[in-house]
Amino acid sequence: MTAQLNPRGDVAVLVPAAGAGVRLGPGRPKALRLLAGEPLLVHAVRRLAAAPSVRTIVVAAPAADVDAVRELLAPVAPVTVVAGGAERQASVAAALAAVPAGPEIVLVHDAARALTPPDLVEAVAAAVRAGRHAVIPVLPVVDTIKEVGAEEVVLGTVDRSALRAVQTPQGFRRSVLTAAHAAAGDPLTDDAGLVEKQGVPVFCVPGSEYALKITRPFDLALAEHLLSAAG
Ligand code: CTP
Ligand code: MG
């Protein structure tokens, strides 16, 4: 059944989904790979559409798959689909340009984080609504982290207590994200990085284990297990 988005919602979500999925191994673009019989992108969009503040969803699809992605998502939720770019940052910029007037909170969410709970979407949006200009969900780093130099020689041990692993959705006041992308230089792997370069403070909120980024085959297997365990 097609989910309705909230016409009074104040949140637009951009979904970069144009990556190849090289680290997942040969096959379709990652967002179209199957997890429990459905493409990762379908899982991701269904959960975004279940978040009550979401009014608009814009997906950046692989250029060759824009029409196929439109058809794929039509039964899931009302979404706008645009062609992504060669880098994630270009895909986000293309999606941002397609957001209609209205929503003043913009979230950026990787299609690859297919199991992200709607509650996390709401928590990030709520922090922006409460006045933060930029918000990222994070988890503590659990492994000991070493800095390594040439020939894999350890240079030192990094203080783990000051480190966080960063997830999506990342949330922004719309004007802040627009200005950061307009000023963007070399491509970065996340949008908060662009905002940091503008000198805007970025705040952390607790992330979710379920927001893991499906990157390698092990992650896909883990996601299958999580879904089957959830019934
Ligand atoms: N992405 C995108 N456009 C790109 C590259 C990435 O929209 N040119 C999206 C991916 O589709 C994914 C998210 O950005 O939803 C995070 O990127 P990543 O996990 O690195 O996905 P891929 O780039 O597809 O994977 P890989 O790096 O292994 O090729
Ligand atoms: Mg990538």
Side-chain angles (χ1 to χ4, degrees):
M1 205 186 75
T2 308
Q4 298 294 310
L5 301 182
N6 177 3
R8 286 186 297 281
D10 55 1
V11 174
V13 190
L14 317 180
V15 187
V22 171
R23 288 170 288 179
L24 207 48
R28 302 276 291 136
K30 181 160 72 179
L32 301 175
R33 305 275 186 107
L34 300 185
L35 165 61
E38 292 183 305
L40 292 181
L41 182 58
V42 168
H43 288 278
V45 167
R46 188 182 291 131
R47 286 164 177 76
L48 291 171
S53 302
V54 173
R55 167 161 159 191
T56 304
I57 298 174
V58 182
V59 173
D65 297 300
V66 168
D67 289 339
V69 166
R70 229 172 246 141
E71 275 177 41
L72 177 72
L73 294 177
V76 181
V79 301
T80 301
V81 182
V82 299
E87 306 278 352
R88 182 186 180 280
Q89 191 169 302
S91 297
V92 173
L96 182 60
V99 177
E104 288 305 321
I105 298 172
V106 178
L107 269 47
V108 185
H109 184 52
D110 294 330
R113 298 183 190 272
L115 300 186
T116 301
D119 283 357
L120 183 60
V121 177
E122 286 300 312
V124 171
V128 178
R129 198 175 292 121
R132 302 303 199 194
H133 283 191
V135 175
I136 57 174
V138 303
L139 291 178
V141 172
V142 292
D143 292 309
T144 296
I145 305 288
K146 304 279 188 194
E147 188 183 354
V148 177
E151 294 177 32
E152 294 294 293
V153 173
V154 171
L155 301 177
T157 304
V158 180
D159 177 12
R160 185 175 67 189
S161 67
L163 300 179
R164 304 287 182 273
V166 178
Q167 304 180 318
T168 73
Q170 300 189 347
F172 307 93
R173 286 237 73 84
R174 183 176 184 157
S175 54
V176 167
L177 186 63
T178 303
H181 269 270
D186 291 342
L188 299 180
T189 54
D190 81 340
D191 301 280
L194 295 179
V195 168
E196 286 157 37
K197 286 193 166 176
Q198 299 297 295
V200 175
V202 177
F203 290 90
C204 300
V205 297
S208 164
E209 303 278 9
Y210 284 90
L212 80 153
K213 185 156 72 76
I214 297 171
T215 305
R216 292 171 288 239
F218 181 86
D219 307 318
L220 195 55
L222 176 58
E224 295 264 4
H225 280 288
L226 290 171
L227 268 182
S228 60

